[in-house]
Amino acid sequence: MRIGIDLGGTKIEIAALDRDGATVVRRRVPTPPADYAATVARIGELVESVERELGEAGTVGVGTPGSPSPATGLMRNANSTVLNGMPLIADLERRLARPVRIENDANCFALSEASDGSAAGAPCAFGVILGTGVGGGIVANGAIVRGANGIAGEWGHNPLPWPKPEELPGPRCYCGKDGCIETFLSGPAFARDHAAGGGAPLDAAAIVAAADAGDPASVASFERYLDRATRAFAAVINVLDPDVVVLGGGMSNVARLYDAVMRRLPAYVFSDSVSTRVVAAAHGDSSGVRGAAWLWPAT
Ligand SMILES: [Zn+2]
């Protein structure tokens, strides 16, 4: 049995997969707010309760915001900043008395979709989470590409490509820079951009619904979003040239985003033809927790 944990800023999700990859248990609990020790304890209790219920011990993989630093083993780059600087792997291994694997949540997402989801069989997949934050992960030939610094795919904190004058310097990002892709493409960023452009204070889903209903301000906001998403993907395609770009997170539920982005890609991709597929995650919001379980081979 493989157990996956998706440790988010507001909830912790656990899933147990059987040897065929089917989910046999899945549940979620709130993340203890701003309390690292309580978070480690909560994960320990979740694993133990699932193992008691199923009468079996499992391997444990954890998807987190940010990732452990290859240099120190300490967590870094997490937007839920309570994790940063903490020895999460060592603390979980002590609590659970077994080896634990930890990966960035976008890497877990990409691994899940490349293993048995929308990017299954693709030689190279770029997984993108467009949610409250923006993350990316790369899976090539079935394996996560980590990179020398453990940040491969961390594209949300690159600057927005081909910026227009009104997009400079761009919004301030929590990482300390201005105009990161995340500050344009996250759900909250979309809502902020809409309000800044004179639109009503709506969340991302409501703006898309208003655009569908023909509201001119919402149509304009969504068009800006689509063009920025296309530029951000095109810059990755020009470097990595993945076969599939697979999207997760709240914005991935916008059905008409896919055709709209693929129609716009040829304007930015350095090629006479563009065959890259931009697709929605097959496993929806359980991709993260499934990918965390996939961090260990089937036993
Ligand atoms: Zn940033």
Side-chain angles (χ1 to χ4, degrees), residues 106-107 110-111 114 123-127 136-140 142-146 151-154 236 240 242:
N107 287 0
L111 181 63
C124 182
F126 181 52
I138 300 164
V139 172
I144 292 171
V145 176
R146 291 190 180 80
I151 57 161
E154 280 284 4
V236 173
L240 182 68

Side-chain angles (χ1 to χ4, degrees), residues 34-226:
D35 187 336
Y36 173 76
T39 299
V40 172
R42 179 79 47 95
I43 292 172
E45 290 155 14
L46 272 173
V47 170
E48 284 166 359
S49 75
V50 163
E51 292 185 332
R52 253 195 322 274
E53 186 177 330
L54 297 175
E56 193 182 344
T59 55
V60 176
V62 183
T64 62
S67 61
S69 162
T72 65
L74 305 179
M75 296 296 295
R76 45 79 204 256
N77 292 347
N79 55 2
S80 31
T81 49
V82 66
L83 296 178
N84 288 331
M86 305 308 283
L88 184 61
I89 293 183
D91 288 338
L92 284 177
E93 289 187 335
R94 191 161 37 243
R95 176 65 179 77
L96 291 166
R98 75 193 81 178
V100 171
R101 293 183 178 172
I102 295 185
E103 277 288 345
N104 173 259
D105 48 12
N107 287 0
C108 291
F109 166 79
L111 181 63
S112 169
E113 290 298 321
S115 297
D116 67 347
S118 293
C124 182
F126 181 52
V128 175
I129 297 178
L130 298 174
T132 52
V134 168
I138 300 164
V139 172
N141 303 315
I144 292 171
V145 176
R146 291 190 180 80
N149 305 295
I151 57 161
E154 280 284 4
W155 137 104
H157 298 276
N158 277 0
L160 184 71
W162 298 285
K164 301 180 189 320
E166 65 272 22
E167 292 168 339
L168 294 171
R172 174 51 48 115
C173 184
Y174 78 88
C175 77
K177 305 277 199 304
D178 293 323
C180 292
I181 287 170
E182 175 164 308
T183 70
F184 290 99
L185 294 190
S186 73
F190 179 36
R192 216 167 37 237
D193 180 70
H194 178 67
L202 302 173
D203 68 13
I207 299 166
V208 174
D212 286 342
D215 170 58
S218 300
V219 169
S221 298
F222 190 46
E223 289 294 309
R224 281 196 300 279
Y225 186 90
L226 290 172

